[in-house]
Amino acid sequence: WAIHAPYVRAINELKKQRNAVILAHNYMTPQIYHGISDVVGDSLHLAIKATEVEAEVIVQCGVHFMAETSKILNPAKTVLMPDMEAGCSLAESITAEGIAEMRARYPGAPVVSYVNTTAEVKAASDICCTSANAAQIVAAMDGDTVIMTPDKWLAQNVAKQVPHKRVVWWDGACIVHEQFTAQDLRDFRDWNPGLKIIAHPECPPDVVAEADYAGSTANIQDWVTAQQPRQVMLVTECSMASNISDANPDVEFLGPCNMCPYMQKITLEKVLWSLHSMSGVVEVDPAVAEPARRAVQRMIDLSR
Ligand code: 13P
C-alpha cells in the first residue's frame, strides 16, 4: 500500500476538483477497489448506479462495454475510460450482423444480449441481461425460443434454470472462465475436504455443476459473507478473492483463479492520468445509444 498511497491521495483529491465519481467493477485491483472507488459492484449494480450519478464525470474502472453502458444510461455525463484497450472477449465475439444472422435463423425469437456487448449489439437486441438476472430475463420473454448472445456457457447454464424455454446461443465465451475445468474443481475438493466452491455462470456447465453455488460477482460476495465457509474457492477472476478477503477474515480463500488481461489494464497510474488530462472520453453515437438504452433500461425495469 505504501507505494500506492500517493496515487490514491492524488486521485481522491482530483476527483473533488473534477466533480467525478469512480464506478469500479468487482474485478478491479484492491488498490482501486478499496482506495479510490465510490461505487463497487457487479455489472447490474454498476449500470443501475450509473443512472443515478449526479457528478459531472464518471470514471469507469472496468472494461469498455461498462463505460459505454454508463454513457448510454446517463448521456449528459463525461464518461472516462482510463485505458481504451480494456476490452472483453465476449464483447468482441459478436457484431450487429451476428444478431441479424440469429434473427434470420430463429424468426420471431426475442434476442437477449449479455451486457458484455458493444452499444451496436445492444441496439440490435430486444433486451439485455447480466449474470445476476439472466434466468429471470429469459423466463420473462414471450414465445418458446429465446436467443441468447454472445456467451454460450451462460446461455447453457440459464437453459437449465429455465427448462420451459428453448434457449439457443451464439458461440462466444469468456477467456477467464472457459479455462476452468470440472476436474480442477474435483481435485481441489479431494485435496481440501469441506471446501466450498463458488463459480461464475460464464464457466462451462460441467464446471458450474461441480460448484456449491453459482452467481454474479455480487452474488458471490453476498454468498461468502452470509455463509462464512471455512475454506472457499472462487472460480472466477483473481481480484474477487483479494477484494472480499479483508471483510471476511475467518474465511480462507483457496485454489486457482485466472487473471483477466483486460480488467488488469486499469491501474492507479492510468486513472490518475485520465482524470488529470480528461482523456479517454467515451462517446456513443446517439442513433445507436437510444435503441441500446431501451434494451438496457428494459432489463433494469424487469429486474426490479
Ligand atoms: P458480473 O456481472 O457478475 O460482475 O460479471 C461481469 C463480467 O464481465 C464477468 O466476467
Side-chain angles (χ1 to χ4, degrees):
W1 271 101
I3 55 162
H4 301 303
Y7 285 99
V8 168
R9 268 198 302 276
I11 291 167
N12 286 330
E13 189 47 46
L14 206 45
K15 262 196 323 190
K16 287 185 225 147
Q17 290 173 25
R18 298 277 191 245
N19 189 15
V21 292
I22 295 186
L23 307 187
H25 186 258
N26 288 327
Y27 290 161
M28 289 292 98
T29 60
Q31 300 82 36
I32 291 175
Y33 185 91
H34 293 296
I36 59 168
S37 55
D38 298 288
V39 175
V40 292
D42 65 1
S43 310
L44 180 61
H45 185 68
L46 295 180
I48 292 169
K49 287 292 166 187
T51 65
E52 298 168 5
V53 168
E54 287 179 3
E56 282 167 51
V57 178
I58 295 173
V59 184
Q60 196 83 34
C61 289
V63 290
H64 191 267
F65 75 80
M66 296 177 179
E68 264 192 351
T69 304
S70 292
K71 183 69 185 174
I72 288 166
L73 290 171
N74 206 338
K77 307 301 171 188
T78 300
V79 177
L80 301 180
M81 188 65 206
D83 186 332
M84 287 291 192
E85 305 280 294
C88 170
S89 58
L90 282 164
E92 281 163 23
S93 73
I94 188 160
T95 59
E97 287 73 40
I99 300 287
E101 206 181 292
M102 291 300 273
R103 286 196 194 275
R105 216 181 299 167
Y106 303 100
V111 175
V112 179
S113 284
Y114 203 25
V115 280
N116 299 40
T117 45
T118 60
E120 286 79 10
V121 167
K122 289 182 175 75
S125 306
D126 295 297
I127 189 167
C128 288
C129 75
T130 74
S131 57
N133 59 23
Q136 187 190 354
I137 301 289
V138 168
M141 292 299 102
D142 289 333
D144 297 334
T145 303
V146 178
I147 299 167
M148 280 190 81
T149 74
D151 189 336
K152 63 180 170 188
W153 301 134
L154 178 72
Q156 289 171 39
N157 288 318
V158 166
K160 288 187 179 176
Q161 292 175 273
V162 191
H164 59 289
K165 295 282 184 196
R166 173 180 173 233
V167 179
V168 294
W169 51 80
W170 187 253
D171 189 23
C174 163
I175 53 169
V176 173
H177 293 101
E178 70 172 352
Q179 290 178 47
F180 296 102
T181 69
Q183 190 59 47
D184 293 338
L185 274 60
R186 283 193 289 273
D187 287 346
F188 266 80
R189 260 200 221 285
D190 289 348
W191 299 330
N192 303 280
L195 174 71
K196 295 294 180 194
I197 301 182
I198 319 299
H200 194 279
E202 290 173 15
C203 292
D206 62 332
V207 171
V208 169
E210 289 290 337
D212 296 287
Y213 175 76
S216 79
T217 56
N219 296 152
I220 292 173
Q221 181 172 12
D222 292 346
W223 194 94
V224 171
T225 307
Q227 302 290 324
Q228 292 291 297
R230 192 174 54 83
Q231 292 185 315
V232 71
M233 173 173 159
L234 303 186
V235 185
T236 188
E237 218 276 346
C238 298
S239 296
M240 261 315 282
S242 315
N243 287 337
I244 66 175
S245 59
D246 283 3
N248 295 282
D250 298 329
V251 178
E252 189 184 356
F253 293 85
L254 295 182
C257 57
N258 291 323
M259 289 282 198
C260 174
Y262 300 113
M263 292 279 181
Q264 299 301 321
K265 282 186 182 291
I266 307 301
T267 61
L268 287 174
E269 290 87 338
K270 290 179 192 169
V271 174
L272 181 59
W273 175 248
S274 174
L275 258 178
H276 170 77
S277 58
M278 292 299 285
S279 58
V281 177
V282 173
E283 299 291 0
V284 181
D285 175 352
V288 172
E290 185 43 35
R293 191 196 58 75
R294 274 202 295 274
V296 181
Q297 190 60 50
R298 200 177 158 208
M299 166 192 80
I300 292 175
D301 295 344
L302 263 181
S303 338
R304 286 194 207 277

